[in-house]
Amino acid sequence: MIKVNNLKKIYGGQTVLNVPTITIGKGESFGLVGNNGAGKTTFFRLILDLIRADSGEVLSKEKDVTKTEDWKLYTGSYLDEGFLIDYLSPEEYFNFVGKLNGLSRGEVEQFFEIFKEFFNNEILSKKKYIRDLSKGNQKKVGITAALMTKPEILILDEPFSNIDPSSQFQLKKILKGYQQENQMTMLISSHDLNHVTEVCQRIVVLHEGEVVHDLQTNENTLKELEAYFAVKGEGKGMMNDE
Amino acid sequence: MFRSSFWQKNLVLNIVIGIFLLLMLTEILFIGLFLEQILLKSGNNVTPEIALNQWLIYYFLIVFMIRFFIQELPTMEISPLLHLPVDRRRISLFLNYRSLLSFFNFLPFLLFLPFAIQYLPAHYSAFTAFSWFLALFFFEMSSNFLLIRIKRKSTVTPSIILILIAIAIVVLLLGKYDVFSLSVISGWYFGSLLLQPVWVIFPIATAGFFFWENFRYTRNHLYLENLTKKAKPTENLSSHLAGLENRGKIGALILQEVKLLLRNKRSKQMLMFSIPLLLLYGLFFYPDAKNLTRFIILDFVGVFISGGFLIAYGQYILAWESCHFDFILASNIQTEEFFRAKYYLMTIPTFLLFLLTIPYVYFGINILFINFVFLFYNLGVNAPLLLFMASFNRKRMELDRGQMMNHQGIGINNFLNIIPILLFPILLSLLLNAFFSNTVSLWIIFGIGIMGIILHRQFINLAASFFKKNRYKIASGYRNT
């Protein structure tokens, strides 16, 4: 579904991402973990053609994402507030996204039914613009809009941060359900090892722009990851002590 | 930050603005230095100080009006202070002192201090001259704190602007027909002040009162919820356009952007100020019979009158959406569709604005013809040109801040942009008029406009592909906060 070849991004002489090759198959749920500055967002932005790679290519369904706009038809994404139109109400935003993807008003309203619990009565018919919602609720709006179009590829950056525990639980359920029902290819980044190992079958660890681990999730994965980051954390602590 | 090139890009612009400000300050200072001569020349057969005293009230009213539109409230900086161990009294005082830094508060020093030093001591005691200036200074302070107090409660809305304009007209008319003249009050007060310096107490008291009132108000309202105003979604004009939703993707894009224009401070001010001003532009030129024979002026006005919205909006055609530009890029919107929606957004209002300028036919049928020709030029040439130039504008624009004196989101490119939009048609007209008669020239320009309209799809696609080449740079510029 997605294939990455020799992908490299350099900012001001500093390599922030360097991925020789990664292939993500159809229906795969792919979790990206790493500390701040590891290159997670950069990786997603490159897949979404938001920034220019210094070398290499991203192929979506065998087509270079920089050369065609076809991938936009089947890719849903939410990275940050830059994906929200803050002067619209959530309903207007959903309808707009629906319209862009050829959904009718009725179809959009059906989705509201599915997301009812996730919204927890804080999103719809509140007579508020998105800019006046809390950070967590803004994130819910963005994630929902990305999912609403039933995309073949879903890309979410830190979907679990800023939202409350009940909503995190709901979101995991929704994501798993969607993925199994629609054979959706899912790319998620997270700081939270618990959530990401629960949702994803495959975990890739990025460190300073390089892939350092590529694991299929099993019962030991969480422990392995915790051990890996604990060592990193201690290493940092030691450096501070010096 | 290594990703940010904000400062380098802004350097040139800051220099340009700095030069303008410096020029303006020098001019004001010159007026101040030569105030005596200017007043003598105005020739009312009265001494300079009497003439000046009569006008001072108008000065304060005008400055107050300008403050009303330009001066911003000093609020933003305090949110980080609220949770720190600084008591509310101090924060409130700090807020009020901050407002003193406004440029307007220094105006009396430039305009009136030279007069108070050079002229007044020759005719009055030094103490009198001093109290006269002190009174002016404290009136300016009253003006400052009154404005701040008003602005804390309300924002600039179209109705307030209309009320202010109405009051100004009434006052001017009353003065003109000698019913009630502000200049008499002004002359009387400042005249008494020159005889009895003790009158200086009055402005000191009002300034003190407004300062105290501000202090009291801000101290009692120092909570985050009071500092930000939240607008409730309104379902007015934009919902009337809901029919656009059934016009497919392009309709949805247009509707979304209409909401952008109507719901954000910056765009609302753009609409409120630029459109009426540019429509009235003709009134500056047409009444003068000399202008009616100068084709170049008429052509220029023609470009401006129907193109007012086109230029004010089209200059930032992509930047308006800079805050959610990643959404635009990653969503299921083909670039050509996106640009076509933008084209309609520029051209449809331009056409409607032209309809509003039809009454100018009063000044002659040829005025209507010229404006008609340049309407087509605007639609056919300037609109696609603006789409093309949009790719040069790479500065993020925050929509929740006002437009006045705000050069955030404006790059040096925006000044350069104006040149082809306004200069090309004028040069074209000059060139054509050198070879053909005026009427033939106009018909040729009309033909060029029609060609542009017929070929608009091709032009839009050209602009879109130019955009695609530059999309990464544009998007990263828009991401730079």
Side-chain angles (χ1 to χ4, degrees), chain A residues 11 45 49-52 66 69 72-73 82-84 87 92-93 99-101 105 127 129 131, chain B residues 2 233-234 245 249 252 256 259-260 263-264 323-324 326-327 329 331-332 335 468 471-472 479:
Chain A
Y11 278 120
R45 281 186 173 158
D49 190 35
L50 294 174
I51 52 179
R52 189 204 300 271
T66 63
E69 294 183 88
K72 292 182 181 177
L73 289 167
F83 281 64
L84 292 173
Y87 51 82
E92 288 173 327
Y93 179 67
K99 199 83 209 170
L100 293 180
N101 292 285
R105 240 170 208 274
K127 297 230 172 268
Y129 291 137
R131 61 184 169 210
Chain B
F2 55 89
T234 45
E245 270 206 344
K249 229 189 239 189
Q256 186 269 121
K259 286 176 184 161
L260 181 155
R263 289 179 183 178
N264 289 295
C323 290
H324 54 267
D326 280 349
F327 170 82
L329 288 175
S331 289
N332 189 16
T335 314
K468 277 191 210 160
R471 65 181 183 272
Y472 303 110
R479 250 172 248 136

Side-chain angles (χ1 to χ4, degrees), chain B residues 163-231:
Chain B
I163 291 171
L164 278 178
I165 292 174
I167 292 176
I169 291 174
V170 168
V171 167
L172 283 177
L173 284 178
L174 286 177
K176 194 169 177 178
Y177 295 108
D178 291 327
V179 184
F180 165 79
S181 170
L182 284 176
S183 54
V184 172
I185 299 176
S186 178
W188 170 77
Y189 171 76
F190 288 103
S192 325
L193 181 70
L194 286 175
L195 299 174
Q196 301 242 281
V198 66
W199 280 111
V200 73
I201 285 182
F202 176 64
I204 293 178
T206 46
F209 172 74
F210 288 133
F211 177 83
W212 177 80
E213 169 59 23
N214 264 300
F215 169 67
R216 191 193 63 81
Y217 186 84
T218 42
R219 195 190 47 196
N220 295 338
H221 290 80
L222 268 188
Y223 296 94
L224 281 178
E225 55 194 345
N226 297 118
L227 295 175
T228 48
K229 290 198 181 75
K230 286 183 183 174

Side-chain angles (χ1 to χ4, degrees), chain B residues 344-399:
Chain B
Y344 295 134
L345 269 158
M346 286 197 282
T347 49
I348 296 168
T350 301
F351 181 73
L352 296 177
L353 281 176
F354 167 76
L355 297 181
L356 292 178
T357 67
I358 288 181
Y360 280 133
V361 71
Y362 171 81
F363 294 102
I365 189 79
N366 71 316
I367 297 276
L368 185 66
F369 179 58
I370 290 172
N371 290 347
F372 186 70
V373 164
F374 282 99
L375 166 73
F376 278 83
Y377 181 87
N378 275 330
L379 300 181
V381 182
N382 275 344
L385 196 60
L386 280 164
L387 282 181
F388 188 75
M389 293 194 302
S391 294
F392 295 112
N393 185 354
R394 291 161 192 176
K395 295 199 59 165
R396 182 186 176 93
M397 188 153 87
E398 306 280 348
L399 296 175

Side-chain angles (χ1 to χ4, degrees), chain B residues 417-431:
Chain B
N417 270 355
I418 297 286
I419 294 173
I421 299 296
L422 291 175
L423 211 62
F424 277 10
I426 300 305
L427 288 178
L428 181 68
S429 170
L430 274 173
L431 189 74

Side-chain angles (χ1 to χ4, degrees), chain A residues 26-231:
Chain A
K26 185 169 170 57
E28 195 169 19
S29 56
F30 176 93
L32 199 57
V33 295
N35 289 325
N36 287 333
K40 301 184 297 277
T41 309
T42 305
F43 185 53
F44 284 171
R45 281 186 173 158
L46 284 166
I47 296 176
L48 292 170
D49 190 35
L50 294 174
I51 52 179
R52 189 204 300 271
D54 289 288
S55 72
E57 56 178 5
V58 177
L59 304 178
S60 182
K61 288 194 180 174
E62 272 112 56
K63 282 185 194 156
D64 188 337
V65 292
T66 63
K67 304 242 163 68
T68 70
E69 294 183 88
D70 294 354
W71 57 270
K72 292 182 181 177
L73 289 167
Y74 55 81
T75 307
S77 55
Y78 181 74
L79 302 192
D80 52 39
E81 291 90 21
F83 281 64
L84 292 173
I85 304 181
D86 64 359
Y87 51 82
L88 297 181
S89 68
E91 285 95 333
E92 288 173 327
Y93 179 67
F94 292 137
N95 279 316
F96 179 56
V97 175
K99 199 83 209 170
L100 293 180
N101 292 285
L103 300 177
S104 71
R105 240 170 208 274
E107 285 172 293
V108 172
E109 262 150 41
Q110 280 178 4
F111 281 101
F112 294 164
E113 223 22 69
I114 303 172
F115 286 89
K116 208 173 159 192
E117 270 180 279
F118 184 52
F119 285 165
N120 193 26
N121 275 330
E122 284 170 357
I123 308 280
L124 296 177
S125 46
K126 282 287 155 221
K127 297 230 172 268
K128 266 187 182 176
Y129 291 137
I130 292 176
R131 61 184 169 210
D132 299 326
L133 296 177
S134 70
K135 279 258 182 286
N137 284 335
Q138 286 182 345
K139 187 156 253 176
K140 286 185 185 179
V141 171
I143 293 171
T144 309
L147 274 165
M148 210 175 62
T149 57
K150 290 201 173 147
E152 291 176 54
I153 297 175
L154 176 74
I155 300 179
L156 301 176
D157 195 12
E158 300 282 354
F160 299 109
S161 66
N162 278 334
I163 61 176
D164 59 72
S166 307
S167 303
Q168 291 176 342
F169 181 76
Q170 302 277 352
L171 180 59
K172 278 186 273 188
K173 212 170 75 179
I174 293 172
L175 287 177
K176 279 190 207 161
Y178 255 74
Q179 201 237 340
Q180 277 156 17
E181 237 169 74
N182 307 318
Q183 275 292 298
M184 183 171 74
T185 310
M186 191 162 75
L187 283 73
I188 289 179
S189 77
S190 183
H191 284 308
D192 194 307
L193 303 173
N194 267 314
H195 294 316
V196 80
T197 43
E198 215 173 300
V199 177
C200 297
Q201 302 141 359
R202 178 181 173 192
I203 306 282
V204 163
V205 181
L206 275 182
H207 180 63
E208 289 175 354
E210 314 234 354
V211 175
V212 289
H213 283 288
D214 190 343
L215 316 159
Q216 291 299 317
T217 320
N218 55 37
E219 63 271 26
N220 296 324
T221 311
L222 183 60
K223 279 196 184 129
E224 278 174 48
L225 288 172
E226 276 174 349
Y228 168 79
F229 283 103
V231 172

Side-chain angles (χ1 to χ4, degrees), chain B residues 122-322:
Chain B
H123 302 78
Y124 302 88
S125 75
F127 180 66
T128 308
F130 173 71
S131 358
W132 182 83
F133 180 73
L134 206 63
L136 293 189
F137 174 73
F138 276 103
F139 271 122
E140 202 64 75
M141 290 292 103
S142 310
S143 165
N144 178 60
F145 289 116
L146 175 63
L147 177 98
I148 298 286
R149 180 66 184 79
I150 292 176
K151 277 214 157 177
R152 290 229 182 272
K153 251 291 136 70
S154 58
T155 43
V156 185
T157 62
S159 51
I160 290 183
I161 295 174
L162 287 179
I163 291 171
L164 278 178
I165 292 174
I167 292 176
I169 291 174
V170 168
V171 167
L172 283 177
L173 284 178
L174 286 177
K176 194 169 177 178
Y177 295 108
D178 291 327
V179 184
F180 165 79
S181 170
L182 284 176
S183 54
V184 172
I185 299 176
S186 178
W188 170 77
Y189 171 76
F190 288 103
S192 325
L193 181 70
L194 286 175
L195 299 174
Q196 301 242 281
V198 66
W199 280 111
V200 73
I201 285 182
F202 176 64
I204 293 178
T206 46
F209 172 74
F210 288 133
F211 177 83
W212 177 80
E213 169 59 23
N214 264 300
F215 169 67
R216 191 193 63 81
Y217 186 84
T218 42
R219 195 190 47 196
N220 295 338
H221 290 80
L222 268 188
Y223 296 94
L224 281 178
E225 55 194 345
N226 297 118
L227 295 175
T228 48
K229 290 198 181 75
K230 286 183 183 174
K232 283 253 169 332
T234 45
E235 291 291 328
N236 38 33
L237 184 56
S238 39
S239 62
H240 291 304
L241 293 169
L244 277 172
E245 270 206 344
N246 305 324
R247 302 225 148 249
K249 229 189 239 189
I250 292 185
L253 284 167
I254 293 175
L255 181 65
Q256 186 269 121
E257 187 137 352
V258 170
K259 286 176 184 161
L260 181 155
L261 292 174
L262 295 176
R263 289 179 183 178
N264 289 295
K265 192 173 174 190
R266 180 140 181 178
S267 48
K268 270 196 285 189
Q269 285 192 355
M270 183 273 290
L271 296 173
M272 250 156 46
F273 289 103
S274 59
I275 294 179
L277 266 183
L278 291 174
L279 280 179
L280 294 174
Y281 203 64
L283 290 180
F284 293 117
F285 289 92
Y286 296 147
D288 190 346
K290 266 185 288 176
N291 284 336
L292 291 180
T293 57
R294 294 187 192 133
F295 72 91
I296 220 64
I297 288 185
L298 293 180
D299 290 0
F300 183 73
V301 177
V303 180
F304 235 64
I305 269 185
S306 61
F309 173 78
L310 186 82
I311 296 167
Y313 166 72
Q315 266 205 82
Y316 308 104
I317 189 85
L318 297 178
W320 293 114
E321 301 204 69
S322 53

